[in-house]
Amino acid sequence: MTRAGTNTAVIVGVGAHLPPNTVSNHELVERLDTTDDWIRSRTGIARRHVISPGTTTADLAVEAGGRALKSAGLDRVDAVVLATTTPDRPCPATAPEVASRLGMTGVAAFDVSAVCTGFLYGLATGAGLIAAGTAEHVLVIAAEAFTTLIDPDDRTTAPIFGDGAGAVVLRAGTPDEPGAVGRTLLGSDGENADLVAVGTRGAARRVEGPLPREERYFRMAGRQVFRHAVTRMSTVCADALAAADWTARDVDLLVAHQANGRITSAVADFVGIPPERRASNIERVGNTAGASVPILLADAAADGTLRPGHRVLLTAFGGGLTWGATTLVWPDVSPVI
């Protein structure tokens, strides 16, 4: 283990996994009484990956986690942090099963829930374990089978979400190393918890027997969420830049939660980051909730959009409400996807 208070978390591996089954806008059009143009213009999405029956969140997490470990050249870490909104069951947490399936029975493993901000909350948690001296290496995974929460006949949500997982491996290092995770700023607003929610499946709304359709599925107040997302991410991005002593001109790449193409553009415009310095994969993967940031990191590193030495600004917004941002200089790592 490491000595408390002396270590910074450094990214040394990155991986991602998308289920092979894809659903295009054209496959949704007839059922949802919409058009490809309508979906693209409002979300920026053309297709999304969807799990097959029998596939679980743990399956996605194991794939992404294993790939991140391979990228890092490791077969074991001291802790596994799994960010997910879709655990395989309410109890126990999904992370211990994921750790065991990766050959790491005995290590610390637990879930973190912050919806679409889950990866940043998990990243901050992993960094805290390293800073405290509890762990030398931490695997942070974000995995979402979000389509299991969606009403397939709801045209306001069904076109938006997809499934997938992304992961990074952290090790103890120093703040001046490439890959060192900067100060991670996080926030929440529980007064607006109902803007992004699933009505039941929790202790507050225990229902016996058949559930009303509106209680069974994920619901989102789109216009209000759009406004909160832009405001909160713009503000936390500015704060993260200030904490790093950067300006928008210093940022080589903005890696934002892929919620909606218009949201990302609005945030980037507010912060002052031009289109050529904004990473995006929402067109072909949709909104993968908490997994979207690590999936985008892996994609951008694989296609050369994200290169070693790039100064990166990460940000996300999700239900809770929750939000966060951090900065780092991208290391020389080979993603496995």
Side-chain angles (χ1 to χ4, degrees), residues 120-121 182-187 235-241 243 323-326:
L120 286 177
Y121 270 70
R183 183 182 173 196
T184 303
L185 303 177
L186 304 171
T235 300
V236 78
C237 279
D239 292 344
L241 290 175
W323 56 87
T326 193

Side-chain angles (χ1 to χ4, degrees), residues 31-320:
R31 187 180 81 240
L32 298 177
D33 187 27
T34 186
T35 66
D36 176 60
D37 287 342
W38 189 91
I39 297 171
R40 286 176 183 264
S41 65
R42 285 159 178 78
T43 68
I45 299 167
R47 64 183 173 97
R48 67 287 297 147
H49 291 253
V50 177
I51 60 170
S52 301
T55 301
T56 68
T57 294
D59 294 333
L60 299 175
V62 167
E63 287 289 341
R67 294 175 188 193
L69 289 168
K70 182 177 179 180
S71 171
L74 296 172
D75 57 15
R76 191 173 181 86
V77 295
D78 305 304
V80 175
V81 179
L82 173 61
T84 186
T85 319
T86 58
D88 287 348
R89 45 191 172 173
C91 176
T94 305
E97 177 187 341
V98 172
S100 288
R101 288 174 59 182
L102 288 169
M104 295 186 291
T105 297
V107 306
F110 56 94
D111 292 359
V112 170
S113 179
V115 196
C116 298
T117 320
F119 176 71
L120 286 177
Y121 270 70
L123 190 67
T125 302
L129 292 172
I130 287 172
T134 302
E136 181 82 23
H137 292 89
V138 179
L139 175 60
V140 179
I141 310 170
E144 302 282 17
F146 215 83
T147 59
T148 62
L149 302 179
I150 301 301
D151 181 348
D153 296 322
D154 179 7
R155 78 172 197 158
T156 65
T157 58
I160 296 174
F161 292 94
D163 303 322
V168 298
V169 175
L170 305 175
R171 68 155 168 80
T174 60
D176 57 346
E177 287 186 72
V181 179
R183 183 182 173 196
T184 303
L185 303 177
L186 304 171
S188 72
D189 174 11
E191 291 185 2
N192 286 293
D194 289 339
L195 295 183
V196 180
V198 178
T200 56
R201 304 191 189 190
R205 299 293 297 276
R206 289 172 286 185
V207 179
E208 295 183 6
L211 298 175
R213 192 175 189 87
E214 64 273 13
E215 296 284 356
R216 230 182 304 164
Y217 296 112
F218 172 88
R219 288 286 181 265
M220 179 171 62
R223 292 183 180 180
Q224 292 164 279
V225 170
F226 187 104
R227 176 174 55 83
H228 279 285
V230 172
T231 300
R232 298 299 192 180
M233 280 200 287
S234 297
T235 300
V236 78
C237 279
D239 292 344
L241 290 175
D245 198 23
W246 292 0
T247 70
R249 291 187 297 275
D250 295 317
V251 176
D252 295 303
L253 200 66
L254 171 66
V255 176
H257 163 53
Q258 301 290 281
N260 176 303
R262 294 186 299 154
I263 290 175
T264 303
S265 294
V267 171
D269 288 344
F270 183 92
V271 178
I273 298 174
E276 65 271 16
R277 289 192 272 137
R278 305 170 189 175
S280 178
N281 63 359
I282 193 170
E283 181 179 15
R284 60 183 180 81
V285 305
N287 179 342
T288 54
S292 74
V293 169
I295 290 172
L296 183 53
L297 282 173
D299 279 356
D303 69 17
T305 302
L306 177 57
R307 299 190 296 276
H310 272 175
R311 290 161 294 190
V312 187
L313 173 63
L314 309 180
T315 189
F317 173 90

